Amino acid sequence: MKTDIILCGVGGQGILSIATIIGEAAMKENLYIKQAEVHGMSQRGGDVQSNLRISSEPIHSDLIALGGADVIISMEPMEALRYLPFLSKEGWIITSSAPFVNIPNYPEMDKLMADYSKLQNVIMIDIEQMAKDNGVPRSANVILLGAAQKALGIEYDKLEAAIGRVFARKGEKIVEQNIKALALGRALQK
């Protein structure tokens, strides 16, 4: 088993929480894991990106080579396209459809959608609206994780258990909201 994942978005969107949940689930399965993070000006809406590599065999590098990513999970549609050169031919993009316009020359949504229309394996979700509509407004990132579960190759119950461990210190209500968000995302898988 080997899965190379690029997580990306804008500071404050929960990218590193997704990485923590996936990492926790992988470690409980005794898998090898390597992670490299790039934090932009996250306090000011800068880009945040993480390479997350999971394998049943030892991993020698924490960085993903061009064309080597199995999955790109993105909290922001433009950010996913930024890492497209890293995606393998069979790879998946699971992304939010709602833009976070944080730069003056942010592309028009028509342009972004035209770029996405050329790709095969894409799940695009308005996770922010879905989170609000379902009473879990601070768990949009976990909805995205639920939608990515199959592409990650990690069993659903392992991610659910990892959420329980990762958020335990925040209380049962937060754990329950994130488990609900994971289930909402799972229902959207292709």
Side-chain angles (χ1 to χ4, degrees):
M1 183 259 180
K2 176 199 78 69
T3 307
D4 288 339
I5 308 155
I6 293 178
L7 301 159
C8 55
V10 175
Q13 290 186 307
I15 288 298
L16 301 180
S17 292
I18 293 173
T20 301
I21 295 165
I22 295 170
E24 176 70 20
M27 287 192 312
K28 281 292 184 184
E29 290 298 300
N30 294 318
L31 296 172
Y32 293 92
I33 182 168
K34 291 251 185 185
Q35 181 177 3
E37 298 173 2
V38 175
H39 302 269
M41 293 295 292
S42 58
Q43 309 88 306
R44 297 186 182 156
D47 64 321
V48 175
Q49 182 262 345
S50 178
N51 283 358
L52 188 59
R53 305 188 73 204
I54 301 168
S55 178
S56 53
E57 302 295 324
I59 303 167
H60 301 291
S61 173
D62 53 358
L63 297 177
I64 298 170
L66 290 173
D70 300 298
V71 186
I72 295 174
I73 300 174
S74 181
M75 292 292 294
E76 206 289 324
M78 184 190 72
E79 290 296 326
L81 293 174
R82 184 185 303 224
Y83 296 100
L84 201 53
F86 290 90
L87 189 64
S88 71
K89 291 190 186 316
E90 305 80 33
W92 279 87
I93 295 176
I94 296 94
T95 184
S96 171
S97 62
F100 186 101
V101 180
N102 59 343
I103 55 174
N105 59 343
Y106 193 95
E108 294 293 324
M109 278 307 290
D110 291 345
K111 166 77 171 100
L112 291 179
M113 296 314 286
D115 290 342
Y116 274 106
S117 71
K118 298 172 189 169
L119 304 172
Q120 289 184 337
N121 300 323
V122 176
I123 298 173
M124 185 176 277
I125 313 156
D126 188 345
I127 55 173
E128 296 294 335
Q129 191 61 51
M130 191 174 186
K132 288 176 192 167
D133 291 349
N134 287 280
V136 291
R138 296 183 49 95
S139 299
N141 60 331
V142 181
I143 292 173
L144 201 61
L145 175 59
Q149 178 261 321
K150 272 188 193 173
L152 295 174
I154 298 175
E155 294 176 31
Y156 179 82
D157 62 324
K158 306 301 184 199
L159 290 173
E160 190 176 86
I163 286 171
R165 291 186 299 274
V166 168
F167 293 109
R169 73 185 202 298
K170 293 187 176 192
E172 191 59 34
K173 182 178 178 186
I174 300 299
V175 170
E176 288 172 10
Q177 288 176 341
N178 282 284
I179 287 174
K180 178 180 179 180
L182 188 72
L184 290 166
R186 179 188 195 190
L188 300 170
Q189 294 183 83
K190 292 184 179 180

